[in-house]
Amino acid sequence: MKRKVLVIDGSQGEGGGQILRSSLSLAMCLGQPVKIKNIRAGRKKSGLLRQHLTCVRAAKEVCDAEVSGDELCSDYIEFTPGKIKHGDYRFAVGTAGSTSLVFQTILPALLLGKGMSNIELEGGTHNQQAPSFEFLTACFLKTLEILGVKANTELQRYGFYPNGGGQWTAQVHPRISGQRLKLLERGEPVARSATTFTAKIPQHVSQRELKQVVRKLKWKEQDLREILVDSFSPGNIISLKLEFTNCVEIFEAVAQRNIRAETIAGTAINALKRYRNSSAVVGEYLADQLLLPMALFSGGSFITHEMSQHVATNIAVINQFIDSAIQTSEIESDTYKIEVQGLNLNSDGIKTEVQKSDLIV
C-alpha cells in the first residue's frame, strides 16, 4: 500500500532552504513520500538555486527516488523515496554553494546503508550562512559520535565565494548502535584556539583579525594560528574554537568585500561572548543541526541559549514527520532545554542496495 503524501509548506517559519533539506532527509530515512511547496518563499530569490537543486538530486541518487519539480527556480518538488543505496557518490554544486549542506542532507540516509559510502563533494567549503568544513568535522560530526555516527573526512581544496571549486571527501560508515546525546553541562575548559584560513589576500587581514582576538578576548599568542590555504577564489575565515570536557563549540565569520578585518573578527568574537556568558552547552547553529539526527537516531537532550526562528522552524518540520519528536522548555531567560525522542533507526532495519553515481548540477 502506498503511503499518503505529506505536504510541507516551505513558507512556514523562516521560509528558507533548511525546510527543504530536512524534509528530504526525513523522507529518505522514513520512506515517506513528500510534496514541498513554496520552497524558500522567505528568501529574496525564492525557489531552488543550484545548491538546493544539488541537495534534491543527491537525495534522489541515494534512495533511487521518483522526483518531479527538480529544476532551477522551481518552487515545489514531489519526492517519493525508494531504497537507500550505499556506495560511491560524487556531487558537484557547480558554484560556491555549500557542500556541507549537501552532505548534511544525505548523511542520515547513508548511515542507514548496509555498507560504507564514499562521497566526493565539490563547491563551496567556507560560506556565509552555512557550516564550514572545520565546523562540520570538529563540531557537528564530533558531537554526533555519541549517537553512533562515524564519518571520516578529508579536505583537498578550499572553496570560497564566488568561484567555489572546493573539494573534499567523506567515508560514511553504517550506523549500528549509539547512545542518547545528553548535553546539559559543558564541563571544564580543555582548550581554545583562534585560527584564520586565508587564500590569495594580503596577510595583514588575518593578522588584524587575530590581533582583535587578543585585544577583545585577552587570548595568548599560543592560542593563535594563521593558515594559508589553496583556493580558486580569494577568501578568508576566522574560526574561534572552545573545547570543554563535554562539548565543542566553534564561532566563525567569513571575510566580506569592503568590511574591515576587525569587524569580521568582531562578529565571531561577539558570538563567542554570548555563548560564554550564557549557561548553554550547545550554540544556536549546532542546536539546529543536531535536531534531525537526534530525532532519527538515539535522541537525547541539550541546553541552548537561543531559540532562533531557524531552530523553531526546523523543530516544526521534524514534528510534522515524527509526531511530538521534539519538545522545548524555557528554563531561564533566553535559555532552553530541548528534548528529542529518537526513533533509533540503524542499518539493520533498512533494505539497501549498492550504488555508484557522479552528479554535477
Side-chain angles (χ1 to χ4, degrees):
M1 178 182 294
K2 288 187 176 181
R3 299 182 66 174
K4 184 179 179 180
V5 176
L6 179 64
V7 179
I8 300 295
D9 188 349
S11 68
Q12 65 182 290
E14 53 90 34
Q18 182 65 33
I19 298 171
L20 169 73
R21 292 187 296 270
S22 290
S23 296
L24 290 171
S25 298
L26 290 158
M28 286 188 283
C29 293
L30 301 175
Q32 172 65 59
V34 64
K35 178 179 180 179
I36 309 165
K37 62 181 183 178
N38 301 320
I39 293 173
R40 300 181 65 252
R43 297 294 184 259
K44 186 175 181 180
K45 292 184 178 180
S46 61
L48 296 175
L49 301 183
R50 285 195 177 276
Q51 174 208 114
H52 312 99
L53 184 57
T54 305
C55 289
V56 174
R57 292 182 176 172
K60 175 181 179 180
E61 291 292 328
V62 166
C63 72
D64 199 22
E66 295 180 7
V67 183
S68 61
D70 55 331
E71 56 187 43
L72 284 174
C73 301
S74 174
D75 65 355
Y76 87 99
I77 65 162
E78 293 189 19
F79 186 91
T80 303
K83 294 179 181 179
I84 294 172
K85 302 176 291 188
H86 69 279
D88 299 328
Y89 294 93
R90 178 175 178 265
F91 302 121
V93 179
T95 65
S98 173
T99 52
S100 295
L101 295 178
V102 176
F103 176 75
Q104 287 182 329
T105 301
I106 61 175
L107 174 63
L110 293 176
L111 289 164
L112 300 180
K114 289 293 187 182
M116 186 168 66
S117 291
N118 299 293
I119 308 103
E120 297 181 24
L121 295 124
E122 182 175 330
T125 60
H126 294 75
N127 308 67
Q128 296 182 52
Q129 310 301 321
S132 71
F133 177 83
E134 287 75 27
F135 187 100
L136 184 83
T137 55
C139 194
F140 174 70
L141 289 176
K142 180 66 176 177
T143 304
L144 291 185
E145 287 178 2
I146 193 68
L147 294 177
V149 173
K150 183 179 180 182
N152 306 315
T153 60
E154 183 178 353
L155 180 64
Q156 286 83 38
R157 184 171 58 238
Y158 285 68
F160 290 107
Y161 179 85
N163 294 330
Q167 291 183 335
W168 61 283
T169 57
Q171 288 184 326
V172 178
H173 299 255
R175 180 182 186 271
I176 305 302
S177 63
Q179 303 174 38
R180 287 178 65 80
L181 187 63
K182 188 176 181 181
L183 294 174
L184 305 180
E185 295 181 350
R186 296 176 193 170
E188 294 300 317
V190 174
R192 66 190 187 189
S193 63
T195 307
T196 58
F197 302 92
T198 306
K200 299 178 180 176
I201 63 175
Q203 190 174 9
H204 72 79
V205 173
S206 59
Q207 291 174 342
R208 287 161 53 202
E209 289 172 337
L210 293 176
K211 284 181 180 178
Q212 193 75 346
V213 171
V214 174
R215 186 179 301 117
K216 296 295 185 179
L217 296 177
K218 309 304 180 185
W219 286 11
K220 307 298 183 183
E221 290 296 326
Q222 67 233 35
D223 301 320
L224 314 179
R225 289 192 304 165
E226 288 182 77
I227 299 178
L228 300 179
V229 301
D230 177 38
S231 173
F232 289 148
S233 292
N236 159 271
I237 183 172
I238 182 168
S239 179
L240 309 179
K241 183 178 181 182
L242 296 178
E243 297 182 59
F244 301 89
T245 50
N246 298 330
C247 63
V248 177
E249 264 296 345
I250 293 177
F251 310 90
E252 300 177 317
V254 179
Q256 301 177 55
R257 189 180 297 273
N258 298 324
I259 298 182
R260 290 176 58 82
E262 291 80 6
T263 303
I264 296 297
T267 300
I269 291 167
N270 290 337
L272 183 147
K273 285 183 175 180
R274 287 195 300 273
Y275 173 81
R276 189 180 62 185
N277 295 335
S278 75
S279 57
V281 182
V282 177
E284 173 190 354
Y285 299 114
L286 182 59
D288 182 47
Q289 296 167 43
L290 292 179
L291 294 170
L292 193 147
M294 288 177 71
L296 290 172
F297 304 133
S298 307
S301 57
F302 61 83
I303 293 176
T304 188
H305 64 302
E306 291 186 37
M307 182 63 66
S308 68
Q309 190 177 35
H310 208 268
V311 171
T313 302
N314 205 17
I315 291 173
V317 171
I318 294 169
N319 282 342
Q320 286 178 261
F321 282 84
I322 309 170
D323 188 41
S324 301
I326 303 172
Q327 304 291 332
T328 66
S329 57
E330 188 172 12
I331 58 177
E332 56 185 76
S333 179
D334 290 327
T335 303
Y336 297 83
K337 183 178 182 181
I338 298 182
E339 299 184 76
V340 184
Q341 300 298 319
L343 294 177
N344 206 25
L345 300 180
N346 60 61
S347 59
D348 291 337
I350 302 292
K351 294 181 179 180
T352 64
E353 299 174 353
V354 178
Q355 172 76 0
K356 290 191 175 183
S357 177
D358 187 341
L359 174 65
I360 301 176
V361 176

